Amino acid sequence: MPITSKEALSRAIRLTESEEKWEEKGSSTLPLLISDHIASMLSIPEIRRQFVPSCEENEDEEGNLDPLEEEAHEKAGRLIHRYHNRAAFLVTDRCFSYCRHCFRRRFTGSLTGPASEEEIREAADYISSHSEIKEILLTGGDMFTLSDDRIDTLLDIFKGRCPDVIFRLCTRAAAVYPERFTNRLFSILRKHQTGAPFYLMTQFNHPAELTDEAIRAVNGFLDLGIPAMNQSVLLRGVNDDPDTLIELCNKLLYYRIKPYYLFQGDLVRGTQHLRVPIEKGLEIEKRMRSELSGLGMPQYTIDLPDGGGKVILTENHLVMKKGHEYIFTAPEGGTRVYPDPVN
Ligand SMILES: *Cc1c(COP(=O)(O)O)cnc(C)c1O
Ligand code: SF4
């Protein structure tokens, strides 16, 4: 049985004072939900911190519920078209476990439920009439909380109307509810592998999340020829040290999951205690870049407030430009000059 109340949680683990004082407050609070798989791992502090709420969530008055201004970019119901050539469709508000750092708190766990067939059709029509959209992110919430039959219908509608659009299947379920990935589900996905490909987008934030079950789930996608990418969130007290992230990225790479993004925490209300200062993030990024291969290195990225869009954070090596010469600080030490072609 998943844990859905503080009472059940306090029977499973001994709550700290700040966990004890957490209050579920109306619509601005993310509900408490912890799957059996995660419940069995709560003795690991970095897992506990991601899923067990604490009163620090209630004390954060600064954040916003929609810092990325996604609502302003909503087209056709649950479709967010912020970037010219790609869009995100919020399949459902539900997840198998709610992450306390969730950046889409305005929507996640809001009891909106799965998109109706009408909403899916509307979104698919919007996409097919906007030929500039090359990719669609199926996200939420977690699309795999839908039943097999609903996933089948969803893909039927989208694939029928937008056969040339690449679909990113965004899910945290491999980490939090790996038993969801049954042979039946994979056979449904296989049936819809026509036209443009699927990409799997996972979220693993800590090496302990890469359990045998999680890897087996991801392998199901890889066996279908679906490439896997990972998006992590930089989280205080979870993965805000270079060694943890280097281990995570090396493991991901070993299991054929490409580290894609490492996100700076968004300014979402209730998540302040989990955010890491950018200065520290940049130091971590630098260590990671010096110890990981290019393939194993994710892009440290900030999604700017007020819907400004994504920006990559990395050490700036270009010091200045003199005439046609570009002057860099070199990772190997000292500076180097690159003369641009003159013509
Ligand atoms: C992040 C994001 C995307 C995907 O951006 P990529 O940089 O291509 O991964 C698409 N739509 C929205 C609304 C996003 O926030
Ligand atoms: S799985 Fe994703 S959408 Fe769901 S709570 Fe976690 S971060 Fe939010």
Side-chain angles (χ1 to χ4, degrees), residues 70 80 82-83 86 88 137 168 260-261 303 310:
E70 289 192 326
I80 303 166
R82 172 135 68 93
Y83 300 107
R86 52 211 193 277
L137 287 69
R168 293 193 204 170
Y260 176 54
Y261 276 138
D303 220 330
K310 292 187 177 69

Side-chain angles (χ1 to χ4, degrees), residues 145-198:
T145 57
L146 263 58
S147 67
D148 287 349
D149 290 346
R150 278 202 185 213
I151 291 173
D152 196 14
T153 307
L154 173 97
L155 294 177
D156 235 14
I157 297 172
F158 273 121
K159 281 288 185 178
R161 288 167 205 228
C162 335
D164 300 325
V165 176
I166 291 171
F167 284 86
R168 293 193 204 170
L169 312 175
C170 307
T171 182
R172 177 91 156 119
V176 304
Y177 196 74
E179 62 267 43
R180 173 68 187 93
F181 299 101
T182 58
N183 290 338
R184 181 158 192 267
L185 175 57
F186 284 126
S187 70
I188 290 168
L189 291 178
R190 190 183 312 120
K191 189 174 85 182
H192 293 288
Q193 285 184 293
T194 55
F198 291 129

Side-chain angles (χ1 to χ4, degrees), residues 99-119:
C99 315
R100 305 325 300 177
H101 55 269
C102 183
F103 77 100
R104 205 170 268 139
R105 278 178 175 237
R106 67 176 172 87
F107 178 72
T108 317
S110 62
L111 303 179
T112 325
S116 65
E117 281 183 37
E118 167 100 39
E119 285 172 305

Side-chain angles (χ1 to χ4, degrees), residues 127-153:
I127 295 161
S128 69
S129 66
H130 286 74
S131 57
E132 72 274 20
I133 300 179
K134 307 293 185 213
E135 280 177 47
I136 163 123
L137 287 69
L138 296 179
T139 182
D142 198 312
M143 64 172 288
F144 291 107
T145 57
L146 263 58
S147 67
D148 287 349
D149 290 346
R150 278 202 185 213
I151 291 173
D152 196 14
T153 307

